[in-house]
Amino acid sequence: MNAAPDNDGGTRSWAGARYVALGSSFASAPGLGHPVPGSPPEAGRTDANYAHLLAGALQLSLTDATSSGATTADVMWRSQYGQAPQADALTPDTDLVTVTIGGNDIGYAASMMLAGLSPAAYLRHRPSLELIKALAPAALNRNIAMLPADMASVGQLIRRRSPNAVVLFVEYLTVLPLDPHIRVPGMKPAQAAASRRLAVHLALATEAGANATGCSVLRVAKASADHYAGSDDPWTVGAFLPTEGGPLPFHPNQAGHEAVARMIRIYLGA
């Protein structure tokens, strides 16, 4: 179905609309709610994420394909944790698509999590060789340069699979304070500065990919600038040691997912 304005010209009714959610852990909400039945444990896909909150509020028919660790490749063509590529969830009759992706392409959350580990914790949670290589300057710079085109490819694929859908690229929530004078617990100033630069690259690539394919952008990065981890009203969390099946450091908290769901509702006029 296609949502239409109410008779009074006010809010739109989206009840019954087919909704597909794509993205990484910033969209899947690992450890914040109950695991979605049938999803791999590694995906960290829970019923507390913004997609489920939105679907519940608007009575949408949701297919949640979000998955922790996902990259643009996992959305488009690669199998992750034994799952089909996320874009396989898209159909010609899909009405709404949200996608939060790109952070893992450039090691955004991973670099913050590694920076926030103490030396002893780093030894216990030693990163994989693949991740270390991906965060090396040459590889990282290459991935940053490729990201706008990769995001555009995501948008193009969504448009081909679901030509009539409203497609919304949802930015990553702000994690670190924008003011460089505010100390980030567990991170050195240079590490925090590097993470802020990655956040800027990520937002620019998201906008470029959406603009290139006629999709829209939900600008949650700016909206959450005063809700960074450690603020008076945080929408994200800072450094801590993760536990199996629990929340992840430097990721959205429940208030963050609720805020994103509200912003999508406002965007949709619902």
Side-chain angles (χ1 to χ4, degrees), residues 171 173-174 218-227 235 259 263:
E171 293 179 334
L173 287 168
T174 296
L218 191 71
R219 303 185 187 283
V220 306
K222 182 178 181 180
S224 60
D226 293 330
H227 298 276
W235 291 354
M263 284 185 275

Side-chain angles (χ1 to χ4, degrees), residues 243-265:
T243 57
E244 186 174 354
L248 294 178
F250 299 106
H251 273 69
N253 59 17
Q254 190 58 58
H257 280 277
E258 292 170 358
V260 172
R262 283 196 306 272
M263 284 185 275
I264 297 175
R265 287 187 65 180

Side-chain angles (χ1 to χ4, degrees), residues 182-206:
I182 299 177
R183 180 178 175 273
V184 178
M187 297 180 73
K188 297 177 181 178
Q191 293 172 324
S195 294
R196 290 189 187 95
R197 288 194 295 271
L198 287 179
V200 171
H201 286 302
L202 186 52
L204 290 174
T206 300

Side-chain angles (χ1 to χ4, degrees), residues 13-111:
S13 173
W14 284 81
R18 295 173 176 84
Y19 170 31
V20 175
L22 311 173
S24 66
S25 54
F26 269 60
S28 66
L32 294 185
H34 298 100
V36 174
S39 62
E42 301 92 339
R45 187 182 306 138
T46 73
D47 60 6
N49 65 19
Y50 71 72
H52 276 80
L53 298 175
L54 181 68
L58 301 186
Q59 299 180 355
L60 306 174
S61 176
L62 171 64
T63 300
D64 186 357
T66 61
S67 183
S68 293
T71 66
T72 54
D74 297 311
V75 169
M76 293 188 288
W77 57 267
R78 187 166 63 189
S79 171
Q80 183 193 26
Y81 310 136
Q83 307 169 107
Q86 293 187 22
D88 282 11
L90 299 167
T91 61
D93 59 356
T94 298
D95 297 294
L96 173 65
V97 180
T98 59
V99 55
T100 300
I101 201 66
N104 291 313
D105 292 59
I106 58 174
Y108 176 53
S111 63

Side-chain angles (χ1 to χ4, degrees), residues 1-17 54 57-60 95-96 164-166 264-270:
M1 64 155 289
N2 290 318
D6 288 344
N7 292 333
D8 63 2
T11 60
R12 293 173 178 260
S13 173
W14 284 81
L54 181 68
L58 301 186
Q59 299 180 355
L60 306 174
D95 297 294
L96 173 65
N164 299 316
V166 173
I264 297 175
R265 287 187 65 180
I266 291 171
Y267 175 85
L268 295 176

Side-chain angles (χ1 to χ4, degrees), residues 166-184:
V166 173
V167 183
L168 190 54
F169 277 75
V170 180
E171 293 179 334
Y172 282 61
L173 287 168
T174 296
V175 178
L176 304 184
L178 301 184
D179 185 348
H181 298 99
I182 299 177
R183 180 178 175 273
V184 178

